[in-house]
Amino acid sequence: MTPAGRWKLAAGLVIAGLAAAGGRLAPAASAAPQPAMPAVPLAAPPAGDPPGPEPRMVGEGVISTPDDEFGGTFSPDGRTMLFNKSIPRSQFYVICESHWENGRWTAPRIAPFSGRWRDSDPVFSRDGLRVYFASDRPVAGVDHHNFDIWSVPRRGDGWGEPENLGAPINSDRNEDFISFAANGTAYFTSAREGSQGYMDVWRSRLVGGRYTEPENLGAAINNKDWFNIESWISDDESFLLVGAFGHADSAGDQDIFVSYRKDGVFGPLKPLGPRVNTSAREYSPRISLDGKSFFFTSERGMTTQVRTRPWTREEFENAARSVRNGLGNIYRMSLEDALAGTRE
């Protein structure tokens, strides 16, 4: 049942989560995603450095290291970054926090609200006052053995207590990733009843300050053979980015795909080009609030290096200890270049 290759959740928990049943908290007003906020331009990391046509590692040696990192998100001013560190192969992961100070990223620390359970894929709200993430932590003291979407308020330089979003976003199955359009509509991945594949992309609209019953995005996005782990919606809902396993047109493992919306309908998923997708794993797509930068995670490096001769022991050991050892790193490039060749 588990697709070949790496998924951030342990395979046993995925299977258990798909079959799990149990109650959920009623939606709490304080935990609900905030209504749409005006876009605040994201300062480029590092500040003033525009994104280029080729992927460049974010914070090499500090953010992107020989460890396994994924899922970077930035505060609206671009000066706080949250991301994941994982124990390969993703048996446990925590959300880390770093700040842009004096022209560099500070040494990351585990965020105060993380470090005890598996917490992944943080996403800042548009106003920067709340962060959303997936977690397998207990709900009201009860361990349901699956992942829900949670949020945590940001209070000055600190953080409040995480809150479970409850229904209708969360169900008795796994929910793994959430993003929001400018109008507040939530796009998220879930294995809830009604899914066509292992995990599907669902949408819930914000009406009168409350979220409506989620709708499945349908056969153009979801398929019985696909495992759609992440979904990032553009501000205007004109296109959707999906990180997925199982596609026949994959470059080799997990890849990032895009679907364009026309007349209110999302079209077929198309893989991003070779600057993004490689024979390694690419996942966790994100877009800066100014719409110029595309962020993603890639495991390119040793596994994608073309060699004309075998490794020596010294070469192999040095490479295995390097930043490009084939574990996850976070990259940034121009959104325009990332999407090149995918439009009709």
Side-chain angles (χ1 to χ4, degrees), residues 139-172:
V139 180
V142 179
D143 189 349
H144 294 281
H145 303 289
N146 71 352
F147 284 74
D148 277 347
I149 303 299
W150 293 70
S151 74
V152 59
R154 190 182 187 199
R155 296 171 177 164
D157 294 330
W159 302 93
E161 290 298 317
E163 303 164 322
N164 186 284
L165 263 62
I169 300 297
N170 290 324
S171 70
D172 60 358

Side-chain angles (χ1 to χ4, degrees), residues 90-109:
S90 299
Q91 296 299 310
F92 188 75
Y93 28 88
V94 296
I95 295 174
C96 293
E97 178 179 4
S98 178
H99 300 276
W100 183 258
E101 295 179 359
N102 301 318
R104 64 178 60 190
W105 291 107
T106 60
R109 65 165 185 164

Side-chain angles (χ1 to χ4, degrees), residues 232-234 237-241 258-260 266 287 335 339:
W232 185 275
I233 190 64
S234 64
E237 297 181 271
S238 63
F239 66 91
L240 175 74
L241 295 167
V258 63
S259 169
Y260 293 98
F266 284 101
I287 301 172
L335 176 62
L339 297 178

Side-chain angles (χ1 to χ4, degrees), residues 1-256:
M1 185 174 186
T2 304
R6 172 181 180 270
W7 184 32
K8 296 188 297 298
L9 310 181
L13 185 59
V14 172
I15 295 172
L18 291 174
R24 281 294 174 270
L25 293 178
S30 61
Q34 302 300 302
M37 301 291 293
V40 181
L42 172 66
D49 181 16
E54 299 296 330
R56 294 181 58 185
M57 214 177 280
V58 175
E60 183 170 355
V62 179
I63 304 298
S64 297
T65 73
D67 298 336
D68 189 41
E69 293 98 11
F70 65 90
T73 188
F74 297 87
S75 60
D77 65 3
R79 307 191 73 83
T80 297
M81 181 180 183
L82 299 178
F83 64 99
N84 275 104
K85 273 190 178 288
S86 167
I87 297 174
R89 308 297 295 168
S90 299
Q91 296 299 310
F92 188 75
Y93 28 88
V94 296
I95 295 174
C96 293
E97 178 179 4
S98 178
H99 300 276
W100 183 258
E101 295 179 359
N102 301 318
R104 64 178 60 190
W105 291 107
T106 60
R109 65 165 185 164
I110 296 177
F113 58 87
S114 187
R116 185 174 176 186
W117 294 278
R118 282 182 283 196
D119 304 321
S120 70
D121 296 298
V123 173
F124 265 102
S125 63
R126 297 174 62 79
D127 58 8
L129 298 180
R130 190 169 287 271
V131 166
Y132 299 87
F133 63 99
S135 178
D136 67 346
R137 62 186 60 204
V139 180
V142 179
D143 189 349
H144 294 281
H145 303 289
N146 71 352
F147 284 74
D148 277 347
I149 303 299
W150 293 70
S151 74
V152 59
R154 190 182 187 199
R155 296 171 177 164
D157 294 330
W159 302 93
E161 290 298 317
E163 303 164 322
N164 186 284
L165 263 62
I169 300 297
N170 290 324
S171 70
D172 60 358
R173 310 285 179 90
N174 281 320
E175 280 75 39
D176 190 48
F177 191 101
I178 195 166
S179 65
F180 301 93
N183 61 13
T185 299
Y187 286 74
F188 61 99
T189 55
S190 175
R192 68 184 57 213
E193 185 175 354
S195 293
Q196 301 179 33
Y198 298 108
M199 180 166 281
D200 284 11
V201 182
W202 294 75
R203 172 175 59 195
S204 178
R205 303 177 191 276
L206 184 64
V207 179
R210 300 186 69 85
Y211 276 89
T212 60
E213 190 65 25
E215 56 184 308
N216 190 289
L217 288 194
I221 305 299
N222 302 311
N223 180 284
K224 65 181 181 63
D225 296 322
W226 301 343
F227 205 141
N228 292 331
I229 301 174
E230 304 121 350
S231 59
W232 185 275
I233 190 64
S234 64
D235 277 356
D236 59 2
E237 297 181 271
S238 63
F239 66 91
L240 175 74
L241 295 167
V242 176
F245 286 109
H247 287 252
D249 52 359
S250 168
D253 209 305
Q254 184 178 351
D255 285 325
I256 299 173

